[in-house]
Amino acid sequence: MNINLTDKHIALRRAVKSFCDREIRPIAADIDKEARFPWEVVEKMGRLGYFGIQTPRELGGAGMDALSYAIIIEEISSASGSIGLCVTVHNSVAVFPLLAFGSPEQRDKWVPPLARGEKIGAFCLTEPNAGSDAGGIDATAIPRDGGYTVNANKVFVTNGGVADICLIFARTDPAAGRKGISVVVAERGTPGFVVGDLEDLCGMRANPVSSIRLYDCQVPAGNILGKPGMGLKIGLAALDTGRMGIAAQAVGIAQAALDEAVQYAKQRRQFGVPIEKHQAIQMMIADMATRVDAARLMVYRAAALRDSGRSFSTESAMAKLFASETATAVTDLAVQIHGGYGYSKAYPVERYYRDARVTRIYEGTSEVHRMVIAKGVLG
Amino acid sequence: MKDLHIIVCLKSVVLEAPRGRIVRTAENSVMNPFDRPAVEIALALRNEVGGTVTAVSMGPPVAGNALLEATAMGADRAVLLTDAAMAGADTLATAAVLNAAISQLPPFDLLVFGTRTADSDTGQVGPQTAVSLGVPMITQVSHMEPAGTGCRLERQCDGFTETYECAFPAAVSVNPDAVVPREIGLGDLETAFGDKAYDVWGLEQIGLSPEATGESGSPTRVLTISPVKTRKACEFIEGDDAQKRDELINHLSNAGLIG
Ligand SMILES: Cc1cc2nc3c(=O)[nH]c(=O)nc-3n(C[C@H](O)[C@H](O)[C@H](O)COP(=O)(O)OP(=O)(O)OC[C@H]3O[C@@H](n4cnc5c(N)ncnc54)[C@H](O)[C@@H]3O)c2cc1C
């Protein structure tokens, strides 16, 4: 497997970093503290193409490859995990399924405004009684009057508070079990579409994660994505790309924590020397750097596989598992290297530590990932 | 006003301390940060008046990436001037190459430079090129707007703002704080780096002899480069309070810190 960073990827990383340094880094701590979604920055990102990264040009996107996508998510997440989350979920589990499974009419209708960032997308699978067990959802979309009547209680919806176009997983044929699950596109503003309270989260606080409830919400038949019954297939395909995004996000957060730890270790003096001179600190830094590097390579490999049109499901799952566990370990060590100051909001590492934690939970927990990977290995 | 042809000259620089020989790679080479505002001001003027912006750079092949960035920002055309015989050019030999290349392009109305470069910091290439082309130049421009058949410009100097009106063709160098360079859109970057559309000209294309540029065309030589050792020395002023006061005032005004 050949992971080639081309001149374009190098220039891309620089351009994204420049944007983050100017627009995101300066507000990252504040939007976390205030749990505020930074519309002013998100609008700029929309105009620059961040909401249609892999969307074809003719549909209003930037038409980039998966490796570019990984680099972009990594860089944004190193500045703000919350904004990285907004961008990765929008691109990979809202826009991508519309592109991959939507009819030409569906694509033309929903994708361009999403790709230009004029509308925000969300992916609504999780319910109070169905998390890891996606097949256990209760939401229904029952055929009626030539359309569907949707009833759903979706929780933990990333971008929920601001989303315009939601992919809702619901049973169109309750008797058919897992084969009766479909994806219904529900637009904010449709009667019966209700945005619930925002979650008061541990990390990723600038993302308006909320519940979305649909009460007898009537949608046209044309709002079923793909065909009725394709829900879980669409969900799995979306999560393959989604996981790559979460893995890239984890790498970005881990890198930010490592950079911060290195800088602090050079400047903090104890026992007459900068703490970087203590071997215990050096061992931590070595482990952190090695793990971040390995995680990044795994993410880039999954992306490169995808770009070459090959199966990347297992590699993306492995990358997500390893990168998310790396991010929690590395941010933990970054706090440790900062001592008491690491536990204070005066330094950014406590934010990285909180933000990193959820990467082991969403888009499939580490446990679920191990199950999937083991199944692949053991057959 | 008729459509303008604006030429921006920019450099790809290495952002590393010169320690031994540096191998230029896409990773360590960036568009000179002081040239970004120059590109921006050129694009803004073009957008206001109409016309085209041509970005020109002399450098090794990797400098093509800086031109692609300028293209992604909005430049209409880019030309890379690269030739083994251009290596080692000092500012005068660089100006000779730029002059020869600019003479091959359609006539220009405005020639735009950054004020200086992050890696050598002479600020000479712009003025030398302007002089060799025989066009008036206004340096350190902090504001520019179209006026009459030319433009009105402002530059800050010694605490004063000077305002000029200048007919085209003319040359300017742009104060780094004059404008905030635009962020690059992802789609524009994808197109620029996908098409890789820039002309590559060697000495032959610009009709310059090898003796006129590169090391052989350079009247100056850099003999050595070594880091400056800065020493902070603490001075104590002796005497009674009045003496100390006078001595301090004396010191500060001699150092030009108070007037
Ligand atoms: C900030 C945030 C954003 C989110 N965004 C979205 C979103 O946009 N869209 C969306 O649909 N969901 C979203 N989620 C939900 C997330 O995907 C779920 O929380 C996750 O899938 C786990 O489900 P659960 O919380 O119900 O945990 P559970 O499934 O109840 O799991 C609890 C524990 O049991 C373990 N477990 C469960 N089953 C097994 C098993 N078979 N074997 C071994 N261990 C098992 C789990 O690994 C976990 O440790 C988000 C969550 C958060 C916190």
Side-chain angles (χ1 to χ4, degrees):
Chain A
M1 183 76 246
N2 188 4
I3 304 163
N4 268 334
L5 287 189
T6 62
D7 289 359
K8 176 189 78 180
H9 295 117
I10 293 162
L12 171 67
R13 186 187 296 284
R14 215 172 265 154
V16 179
K17 196 175 173 309
S18 149
F19 179 83
C20 292
D21 285 347
R22 198 188 281 175
E23 302 284 346
I24 301 183
R25 259 186 202 91
I27 60 164
D30 288 344
I31 59 176
D32 169 74
K33 199 177 291 170
E34 298 156 14
R36 180 174 73 80
F37 186 68
W39 271 117
E40 69 284 8
V41 174
V42 168
E43 277 165 10
K44 282 184 195 158
M45 295 177 85
R47 286 196 291 276
L48 290 170
Y50 286 90
F51 285 82
I53 298 169
Q54 288 179 267
T55 303
R57 300 300 288 272
E58 58 276 18
L59 288 171
M64 300 196 116
D65 59 13
L67 191 49
S68 300
Y69 175 67
I71 290 169
I72 293 167
I73 299 302
E74 187 187 332
E75 284 301 324
I76 300 175
S77 302
S78 81
S80 162
S82 303
I83 301 181
L85 177 60
C86 169
V87 175
T88 186
V89 163
H90 173 99
N91 275 282
S92 65
V93 293
V95 176
F96 166 73
L98 291 171
L99 280 174
F101 297 96
S103 66
E105 298 76 44
Q106 291 177 325
R107 268 184 271 170
D108 290 347
K109 180 173 179 202
W110 289 310
V111 172
L114 286 169
R116 292 193 294 260
E118 293 155 10
K119 293 194 169 173
I120 305 279
F123 176 89
C124 310
L125 177 59
T126 305
E127 295 179 3
N129 293 320
S132 301
D133 180 13
I137 57 169
D138 292 324
T140 54
I142 304 300
R144 188 171 300 160
D145 301 337
Y148 290 85
T149 305
V150 193
N151 279 285
N153 179 14
K154 297 296 181 180
V155 296
F156 286 121
V157 179
T158 294
N159 296 345
V162 294
D164 305 286
I165 295 176
C166 295
L167 272 53
I168 310 276
F169 289 76
R171 292 181 189 280
T172 41
D173 182 358
R178 297 171 67 87
K179 291 208 165 66
I181 296 177
S182 306
V183 174
V184 185
V185 178
E187 296 189 53
R188 180 205 283 267
T190 313
F193 183 115
V194 177
V195 179
D197 290 341
L198 299 189
E199 291 292 338
D200 191 5
L201 297 171
C202 161
M204 301 290 175
R205 294 181 54 80
N207 192 295
V209 177
S210 75
S211 57
I212 298 265
R213 298 202 185 85
L214 304 178
Y215 297 104
D216 287 334
C217 185
Q218 187 70 17
V219 301
N223 282 28
I224 296 280
L225 188 58
K227 293 196 184 70
M230 277 178 71
L232 288 185
K233 184 177 175 214
I234 295 174
L236 287 180
L239 288 175
D240 277 345
T241 35
R243 283 165 181 164
M244 219 175 61
I246 300 302
Q249 175 187 50
V251 170
I253 298 171
Q255 182 69 53
L258 171 59
D259 292 345
E260 204 66 35
V262 167
Q263 194 189 334
Y264 189 80
K266 286 179 181 294
Q267 150 235 315
R268 173 70 173 170
R269 296 176 72 87
Q270 285 295 282
F271 297 96
V273 290
I275 59 169
E276 64 163 336
K277 300 290 177 211
H278 299 306
Q279 200 180 40
I281 301 288
Q282 293 169 4
M283 301 293 109
M284 284 191 225
I285 297 280
D287 285 345
M288 292 160 80
T290 305
R291 291 187 70 161
V292 173
D293 197 41
R296 178 177 291 115
L297 286 173
M298 291 179 81
V299 177
Y300 289 2
R301 176 183 65 163
L305 278 171
R306 183 166 180 206
D307 284 332
S308 62
R310 281 182 274 176
S311 157
F312 65 104
S313 217
T314 310
E315 289 77 6
S316 147
M318 286 178 171
K320 196 271 189 184
L321 173 64
F322 188 80
S324 60
E325 304 212 328
T326 291
T328 46
V330 166
T331 52
D332 178 80
L333 289 174
V335 170
Q336 198 64 21
I337 288 172
H338 280 67
Y341 301 94
Y343 201 62
S344 149
K345 291 206 191 291
Y347 286 85
V349 287
E350 63 82 32
R351 170 164 57 89
Y352 303 148
Y353 177 70
R354 288 183 286 108
D355 283 351
R357 188 60 185 82
V358 74
T359 62
R360 272 162 62 196
I361 295 169
Y362 54 32
E363 300 210 10
T365 63
S366 286
E367 294 69 39
V368 168
H369 275 75
R370 287 196 165 83
M371 281 159 46
V372 172
I373 294 164
K375 203 165 159 211
V377 176
L378 297 169
Chain B
M1 194 182 280
K2 70 172 179 80
D3 275 1
L4 299 179
H5 180 213
I6 307 169
I7 297 176
V8 195
C9 297
L10 57 91
K11 186 180 180 189
S12 163
V13 298
V14 183
L15 286 183
E16 265 173 38
R19 232 182 282 142
R21 262 195 98 74
I22 295 165
V23 180
R24 295 283 302 260
T25 65
E27 291 275 7
N28 66 17
S29 305
V30 300
M31 189 198 300
N32 172 33
F34 299 101
D35 291 341
R36 282 181 183 280
V39 175
E40 177 61 41
I41 222 165
L43 293 173
L45 187 67
R46 177 206 59 188
N47 290 354
E48 195 179 340
V49 177
T52 52
V53 170
T54 304
V56 175
S57 183
M58 185 194 94
V62 74
N65 288 339
L67 288 171
L68 291 177
E69 273 190 54
T71 309
M73 287 173 78
D76 303 284
R77 180 182 180 187
V79 184
L80 175 65
L81 310 169
T82 192
D83 197 310
M86 294 174 189
D90 68 3
T91 58
L92 197 66
T94 303
V97 169
L98 291 176
N99 174 323
I102 289 165
S103 306
Q104 301 291 318
L105 289 166
F108 65 89
D109 299 288
L110 187 66
L111 197 54
V112 186
F113 295 87
T115 46
R116 57 196 181 97
T117 56
D119 64 348
S120 44
D121 215 0
T122 64
Q124 292 167 356
V125 170
Q128 285 170 339
T129 309
V131 167
S132 72
L133 286 163
V135 289
M137 180 166 203
I138 296 158
T139 56
Q140 290 279 3
V141 165
S142 57
H143 179 77
M144 180 161 77
E145 62 190 41
T149 54
C151 58
R152 179 172 295 119
L153 304 149
E154 279 174 17
R155 70 190 296 267
Q156 254 97 40
C157 187
D158 292 336
F160 292 92
T161 300
E162 301 172 345
T163 307
Y164 292 84
E165 235 172 57
C166 177
F168 291 144
V172 295
S173 73
V174 179
N175 185 307
D177 298 325
V179 281
V180 178
R182 66 195 60 196
E183 297 289 353
I184 295 175
L186 301 182
D188 297 328
L189 190 125
E190 179 69 32
T191 306
F193 280 81
D195 295 351
K196 290 201 190 299
Y198 54 85
D199 299 318
V200 181
W201 291 354
L203 286 183
E204 219 179 286
Q205 282 87 343
I206 60 172
L208 206 63
S209 72
E211 299 78 54
T213 185
E215 262 182 56
S216 40
S218 298
T220 64
R221 288 272 175 289
V222 177
L223 297 182
T224 58
I225 296 181
S226 54
V228 179
K229 288 197 188 75
T230 45
R231 245 188 45 218
K232 281 191 202 143
C234 198
E235 243 179 274
F236 288 91
I237 299 172
E238 308 293 341
D240 64 22
D241 284 354
Q243 284 170 324
K244 282 188 198 166
R245 178 198 61 204
D246 294 343
E247 185 59 27
L248 180 63
I249 290 170
N250 217 355
H251 250 78
L252 292 177
S253 72
N254 284 344
L257 295 171
I258 55 175

